[in-house]
Amino acid sequence: MPLSHANRLDELTRGMTTADPAGAHIYRRLMGQAVDIASRWLETGTLFDGTQPAAQRKALSDLDVFPPQGVGDEQALADAASCFLDHALQVHHPLCIAHLHCPTTLASQLAEVLINVANQSLDSWDQSPSATFLEQHLVSALRAWTGYPDGDAGVFTSGGTQSNLMGLLLARDRYALLRWGVDVKEQGLPACAQGMVAVCSRQAHFSVQQSLSLLGLGKNAAIPVSCDRDGKMSVDDLKCTLARLASESRTPFVIVATAGTTDTGAIDPLDTLADIAQAHGLWLHVDAAWGGALLLSHRYRHRLHGLDRADSLTLDFHKQFFQTISCGAFLLRDAAHFELMRTHADYLNPPEDDRDGLPNLVTKSLQTTRRFDALKLWMSLRSIGTRQYAAMIDQCIDLAAEVAKVIDASAAFELVSCGQLTSVLLRVCTPLHAAEDRDALHRHIAQTLFEQGIANLGVTRHAGLITLKMTLLNPGTTGADINALLTSIASLAEGGLPAKS
Ligand SMILES: *Cc1c(COP(=O)(O)O)cnc(C)c1O
């Protein structure tokens, strides 16, 4: 019997979705408008227009979130520009240097257009027939570039947080299997897992603690090892810590090394840590979310010596690889360890597909539906080439070193730290005595610079004191930009704390 349901699809979706038969035509026109608005925004050059939270809230409350009658794409686009884009932070501004938040390659912007129009999902081959292979191909190439053995054991992730969780998950489950014969995926954590701990430096990213908490081991399972002056894990303290844990009958299962600590850009001594991990039969996970960018550097790549010995690796491309958010990867030295997390869903990745040679990448991922972010990095590498990429990264490192020198030589500032990447920590010299006044002054300086749209400067705590931070990720930032910024900082410091009203 034929279906009697009247086909109202045309009427319902006219001009609304890519399913519209005229969708391509409308898409071209609207995308042109969106690109015009976006380009004009890029051209303004304003770091931030200073709109305060109260005004932002007010502007939003004036627009109905659930309008019974839609306003149409053009009006929605105009509304988005006035509510969002016009007051957005320009992350590509030369003095947007608060966080590991990068300007983006034009190739990654182009890739976003293709990623979005195709809307593939990387969980199963039949939802991303070409994208699945491109991602695997890129993962293989990244492995080779890192010095890992041939293969495609790795997957793109939403970023460093997810990659760190994967590393700790697999390390935990491998340990439980080898030591107690327990399959944690099936049986859950055994009682003896109570004493399981991860050893990492005090400067390790907070997502390490967060992952341990999610993994049922608790935040306190992160055993902090002290750092040297530069923020690198102390090898002596690591050895003492491991000895102490053994005497307390606790069970370390992983060493988490950081290649590029978030605040100071310190790189732990990877090769030595790999020796120690090997001697103790521990998994070595390296969080190279930031420092992994040195893989592309010519002059500073040696700072990652030993990286290829990690059992698992976190890379983040939306940091110093200049990709749009999100874009990260998790690489696994030994593909067999992915078996620890393998699950099959009849509708998605049946074992029969494996036999037929159809890769369903969901098997390697914590996500199910997953964006094709790999295309961005692939296009950026093709477009820019490794030589130019290296120059962009090296230029930022050189600038940071020079800025550190200038700050160190100035009577107005104190250089707090300059690591192996591109962050510079500084304080202003001030006659203020009380530590809380000094802290307040540094906060006041950063806040004022932001409100005035001059700079987005980082504020963090180092050795107990509030400290200003520059994260120089922008290859377009010049010495002149930083000179002007230092002048503004010094003059705000001289002005002291605002009088309390
Ligand atoms: C940024 C960062 C992370 C977290 O990565 P996301 O992409 O923000 O999830 C983890 N570790 C280090 C060292 C980082 O700098």
Side-chain angles (χ1 to χ4, degrees):
M1 197 171 81
L3 290 170
S4 62
H5 178 75
N7 186 359
R8 294 177 53 232
L9 186 72
D10 206 32
E11 178 190 326
L12 284 174
T13 68
R14 192 167 303 142
M16 302 290 170
T17 73
T18 47
D20 188 325
H25 176 71
I26 302 169
Y27 173 86
R28 183 173 291 124
R29 181 172 54 79
L30 290 173
M31 287 299 279
Q33 291 180 16
V35 168
D36 274 346
I37 289 175
S39 312
R40 249 180 278 131
W41 176 77
L42 279 173
E43 281 161 3
T44 60
T46 316
L47 172 72
F48 169 53
D49 73 350
T51 307
Q52 291 302 294
Q56 292 280 4
R57 276 193 207 102
K58 169 79 176 64
L60 287 176
S61 64
D62 287 348
L63 294 177
D64 192 353
V65 177
F66 292 103
Q69 174 74 41
V71 296
D73 287 321
E74 287 177 33
Q75 186 57 47
L77 183 60
D79 293 344
S82 66
C83 286
F84 154 60
L85 200 61
D86 292 347
H87 316 292
L89 177 71
Q90 294 222 348
V91 299
H92 51 277
H93 186 282
L95 292 180
C96 187
I97 53 178
H99 301 282
L100 284 165
H101 194 175
C102 59
T104 54
T105 67
L106 291 178
S108 77
Q109 295 286 348
L110 288 176
E112 289 285 11
V113 177
L114 304 192
I115 291 165
N116 291 328
V117 76
N119 200 33
Q120 310 288 284
S121 180
L122 272 289
D123 42 348
S124 65
W125 175 76
D126 68 343
Q127 299 180 81
S128 51
S130 50
T132 290
F133 284 98
L134 191 146
E135 176 175 311
Q136 287 212 308
H137 184 65
L138 179 56
V139 162
S140 301
L142 284 169
R143 287 177 61 93
W145 197 260
T146 303
Y148 264 12
D150 286 349
D152 55 17
V155 68
F156 269 68
T157 64
S158 60
T161 304
Q162 189 182 124
S163 298
N164 283 344
L165 176 59
M166 291 185 78
L168 288 165
L169 168 78
L170 296 180
R172 180 195 71 175
D173 291 3
R174 182 202 70 138
Y175 190 91
L177 190 63
L178 290 186
R179 174 87 187 264
W180 303 302
V182 173
D183 179 349
V184 177
K185 186 179 68 192
E186 298 294 329
Q187 301 162 256
L189 283 176
C192 40
Q194 272 296 323
M196 285 181 88
V197 291
V199 181
C200 60
S201 95
R202 275 189 199 285
Q203 298 295 321
H205 192 260
F206 73 84
S207 58
V208 172
Q209 286 192 338
Q210 190 184 48
S211 298
L212 291 167
S213 164
L214 290 171
L215 291 170
L217 301 172
K219 269 170 126 174
N220 293 336
I223 304 296
V225 175
S226 60
C227 294
D228 66 13
R229 235 187 62 104
D230 301 329
K232 287 184 226 165
M233 191 192 286
S234 149
V235 171
D236 287 342
D237 194 45
L238 172 63
K239 287 178 180 163
C240 291
T241 302
L242 289 173
R244 178 170 55 80
L245 291 170
S247 74
E248 291 169 356
S249 306
R250 296 174 81 187
T251 328
F253 65 100
V254 63
I255 296 175
V256 180
T258 313
T261 57
T262 309
D263 266 346
T264 65
I267 299 172
D268 289 343
L270 304 178
D271 203 41
T272 310
L273 298 190
D275 288 339
I276 295 173
Q278 200 168 20
H280 287 77
L282 299 175
W283 183 288
L284 177 65
H285 175 74
V286 178
D287 177 358
W290 184 8
L294 294 189
L295 284 168
L296 284 176
S297 163
H298 288 308
R299 282 191 283 126
Y300 302 108
R301 192 188 151 110
H302 62 274
R303 292 181 180 174
L304 294 177
H305 181 61
L307 184 75
D308 56 326
R309 297 177 65 195
D311 292 289
S312 57
L313 199 52
T314 289
L315 294 173
D316 224 350
F317 306 111
H318 53 224
K319 303 244 171 105
Q320 209 156 359
F321 285 87
F322 315 115
Q323 299 306 297
T324 55
I325 297 164
S326 301
C327 197
F330 173 74
L331 300 185
L332 187 61
R333 172 170 250 287
D334 180 352
H337 290 134
F338 266 133
E339 295 306 313
L340 293 162
M341 59 180 280
R342 174 185 288 275
T343 40
H344 286 286
D346 291 333
Y347 79 96
L348 199 59
N349 60 336
E352 290 81 1
D353 276 5
D354 293 346
R355 289 201 292 274
D356 295 343
L358 299 178
N360 296 314
L361 301 189
V362 69
T363 314
K364 298 195 280 189
S365 176
L366 295 181
Q367 289 170 260
T368 305
T369 301
R370 187 161 60 83
R371 282 170 55 85
F372 182 30
D373 291 312
L375 186 67
K376 299 186 282 199
L377 181 65
W378 184 83
M379 270 180 69
S380 294
L381 286 165
R382 293 235 6 106
S383 157
I384 295 170
T386 55
R387 206 173 307 136
Q388 183 69 16
Y389 239 123
M392 286 160 66
I393 291 164
D394 289 353
Q395 159 133 331
C396 296
I397 296 175
D398 294 342
L399 176 66
E402 203 189 320
V403 170
K405 247 190 231 155
V406 167
I407 288 173
D408 205 22
S410 160
F413 306 108
E414 173 200 351
L415 177 68
V416 175
S417 149
C418 172
Q420 290 154 289
L421 294 167
T422 66
S423 73
V424 181
L425 269 57
L426 70 147
R427 292 198 192 103
V428 297
C429 298
T430 160
L432 290 173
H433 259 309
E436 63 197 55
D437 287 343
R438 289 164 163 262
D439 284 358
L441 177 65
H442 285 87
R443 274 203 203 89
H444 165 71
I445 291 171
Q447 216 165 355
T448 308
L449 290 170
F450 190 53
E451 279 170 10
Q452 294 180 354
I454 295 171
N456 186 17
L457 197 59
V459 178
T460 188
R461 195 176 279 281
H462 190 85
L465 295 175
I466 294 290
T467 302
L468 299 175
K469 176 169 81 161
M470 300 184 187
T471 313
L472 301 168
L473 287 195
N474 186 337
T477 303
T478 63
D481 293 323
I482 302 294
N483 282 336
L485 174 62
L486 290 174
T487 307
S488 303
I489 295 174
S491 109
L492 282 166
E494 235 166 73
L497 279 173
K500 287 192 186 106
S501 52

